[in-house]
Amino acid sequence: MSNRQESKALRMGCTIGYGIGAIGEGIGYNVFFSFFSFFLTTVAGIPPAVAGVISSVAVLWDAVTDPMIGSWSDTTRNPKGRRRPFIMTRSVLFGVSIAMVFFNFDIPVGLKTVYFILANGFYWIALTSCVIPHISLGSELTDDFNERTKLRSCAVTLMGIGTLIATSSTLLLVKFYQGVFGSESAGWAATGITFGVIVALVYHLCCFAVKNLEPANPNLAEPARKKPWKETLAIFLRSAKRAFQNKALSLLIVVNFSYNVFVTLSSGLLVYVLSYVFVYDEAQTSMVYLVQGILVILTAILAGCVANKTDKKTVMTGSMLLTIIACLIIGFFPSKSVWLYTYVVIYALGNSGFWTMIYAMSYDSAILEQIETGKKPDGLYTSLIGLFMKFGNALGTLIMGFGLQLIGFSSESETQTEATVQGIKRLFGIAPSIVILVGLIAAIAYPLTKAKYIELQGVLKAKENAGR
């Protein structure tokens, strides 16, 4: 008997309950990519190039473990389900890790570097162990093309709330806690703890909301057998090889890698642009992030509606074009608020469209292997997308760190030279736009349209009926 869930409309409570977990993802990613390098260079006193290396080393380590965690989630025999047990336990670790990366100790720079590398490694392992099963859970709730889009649209909308919380309140929270505890370092530490508590809470709320909706663990139907580690590794490698032979998934991996180099650069450099190019204070900077966050929430809903009326591929390519235009505006237009907010609107449209589509499209690509093998490798596929996302993140942080070093950014000075300020502006406009072009070409070549997916669903259903 097939373990595949019949296509049906999801209840609104299920859709929203699942999406609540994405608030934690939005907080975790955005507080890190928007502020961690800024924290290292302006509070912890780490040189920009070293800050880039700290982030990239930890992200690369985590990237290696992504597929293993996804495969582990796919093959677990936990009677409570394949995804929820991971989410509930790992979300606590995820919360703790967010607090750890924003602790600044009064120790030599060399020891600080070691600490931040270790704290970063723990952060990324905890994040992946929570986020990958949560994203994979979405594919367990429905296999309908449009329902999956709706599910991911809701998740991205609520992830936008997490993004809004992280980006618009971070500097204000730091300032508030600094007044309470008397130092900037204590302000950052207290802010990290606050975000950590929120992250653990929203993931637990998600698990409660979908408690009786996750399908029974299909692995329990097979006899229990402890596999030697060599056999487990061989199974994983065969599964990964088969996944890379899926053209649709391979192109999505290229798209995702390119886009995450871009988004790491643009999100990480934005706080430098606001602080040194536009010379905004904490309140003005937070307002920019607030507007951007609200727009991301609103446009995620729009992206889902457009995708259901047209096609996910259309939304994906259009979104990537918009993000290129947005960064070029900052890089080459006058540094005036009108152009900054023009960037915010266009970037929000592009960024929310991309994140609404990428995981929904990875769910769809798994149908090709499901037809061939009868298995649903959604955890593996999601983790492979995550693997190359992290490779992109690592390269983006490295480029940002060395880019800031090359243009003369000083971590020891509160003000920067005019040449450095113009360098930040150009770095923001040019570097992200170049790397995303490769992904745009891959997105245009993506073959799995809505019509093709519906055709493949018919093939899968016919095969399952023949096997009964």
Side-chain angles (χ1 to χ4, degrees), residues 222-236:
E222 302 175 1
R225 181 173 71 88
K226 187 174 182 180
K227 298 174 183 176
W229 72 268
K230 289 184 178 180
E231 182 181 347
T232 301
L233 179 61
I235 292 171
F236 164 73

Side-chain angles (χ1 to χ4, degrees), residues 152-167:
R152 286 307 304 168
S153 296
C154 180
V156 172
T157 301
L158 290 168
M159 183 168 66
I161 292 177
T163 300
L164 182 65
I165 292 169
T167 55

Side-chain angles (χ1 to χ4, degrees), residues 53-120:
V53 171
I54 287 172
S55 296
S56 61
V57 167
V59 174
L60 283 173
W61 158 246
D62 176 59
V64 174
T65 66
D66 267 19
M68 298 179 187
I69 290 170
S71 184
W72 184 13
S73 175
D74 279 342
T75 58
T76 180
R77 294 179 57 84
N78 194 310
K80 294 182 180 180
R82 294 199 294 175
R83 317 299 181 188
R84 288 178 62 256
F86 271 86
I87 298 168
M88 293 189 71
T89 57
R90 273 57 171 194
S91 62
V92 175
L93 298 179
F94 187 13
V96 171
S97 70
I98 293 174
M100 288 178 62
V101 296
F102 289 105
F103 271 81
N104 176 38
F105 298 100
D106 188 16
I107 55 178
V109 171
L111 289 177
K112 276 189 185 182
T113 301
V114 173
Y115 168 77
F116 283 121
I117 288 175
L118 294 176
N120 255 323

Side-chain angles (χ1 to χ4, degrees), residues 354-373:
F354 177 87
W355 290 114
T356 302
M357 294 302 107
I358 186 65
Y359 285 110
M361 291 167 79
S362 76
Y363 294 165
D364 296 341
S365 68
I367 196 173
L368 296 167
E369 186 168 332
Q370 195 177 351
I371 291 171
E372 181 181 346
T373 66

Side-chain angles (χ1 to χ4, degrees), residues 32-44:
F32 183 89
F33 284 121
S34 295
F35 298 107
F36 181 65
S37 290
F38 187 73
F39 164 76
L40 288 182
T41 55
T42 63
V43 178

Side-chain angles (χ1 to χ4, degrees), residues 63 66-67 244 252-254 256-258 260-261 382-394:
D66 267 19
F244 282 118
L252 284 180
I253 285 172
V254 175
N256 200 43
F257 171 77
S258 173
N260 276 281
V261 177
T382 300
S383 64
L384 287 174
I385 291 290
L387 169 71
F388 283 87
M389 179 181 74
K390 302 295 174 51
F391 284 158
N393 295 152

Side-chain angles (χ1 to χ4, degrees), residues 157-355:
T157 301
L158 290 168
M159 183 168 66
I161 292 177
T163 300
L164 182 65
I165 292 169
T167 55
S168 66
S169 68
T170 293
L171 296 180
L172 294 177
L173 281 174
V174 170
K175 189 173 183 179
F176 169 76
Y177 285 128
Q178 182 178 349
V180 173
F181 297 110
S183 76
E184 189 175 13
S185 292
W188 279 97
T191 300
I193 292 170
T194 300
F195 286 141
V197 171
I198 296 172
V199 163
L201 176 62
V202 294
Y203 274 116
H204 275 72
L205 288 174
C206 166
C207 290
F208 177 78
V210 300
K211 183 177 181 181
N212 299 315
L213 300 173
E214 182 181 3
N217 191 335
N219 300 322
L220 297 177
E222 302 175 1
R225 181 173 71 88
K226 187 174 182 180
K227 298 174 183 176
W229 72 268
K230 289 184 178 180
E231 182 181 347
T232 301
L233 179 61
I235 292 171
F236 164 73
L237 291 175
R238 284 198 300 270
S239 298
K241 181 180 178 181
R242 195 161 51 240
F244 282 118
Q245 291 171 344
N246 183 329
K247 181 181 178 181
L249 179 68
S250 297
L251 286 169
L252 284 180
I253 285 172
V254 175
V255 170
N256 200 43
F257 171 77
S258 173
Y259 191 84
N260 276 281
V261 177
F262 159 83
V263 79
T264 302
L265 279 167
S266 60
S267 61
L269 287 170
L270 182 58
V271 68
Y272 291 93
V273 170
L274 296 175
S275 299
Y276 298 105
V277 177
F278 288 89
V279 199
Y280 280 3
D281 60 20
E282 292 91 347
Q284 291 171 308
T285 298
S286 295
M287 179 57 68
V288 173
Y289 281 120
L290 177 66
V291 172
Q292 181 172 277
I294 292 172
L295 287 171
V296 166
I297 294 168
L298 296 176
T299 53
I301 300 170
L302 176 63
C305 293
V306 173
N308 282 338
K309 295 292 184 182
T310 57
D311 195 86
K312 294 173 188 175
K313 175 180 175 178
T314 302
V315 175
M316 173 71 81
T317 54
S319 296
M320 296 176 80
L321 279 171
L322 287 173
T323 52
I324 293 173
I325 293 169
C327 283
L328 291 176
I329 286 173
I330 292 293
F332 295 98
F333 281 56
S335 301
K336 296 181 179 180
S337 293
V338 63
W339 292 116
L340 174 63
Y341 280 95
T342 302
Y343 153 82
V344 167
V345 172
I346 297 174
Y347 181 86
L349 282 166
N351 195 44
S352 62
F354 177 87
W355 290 114

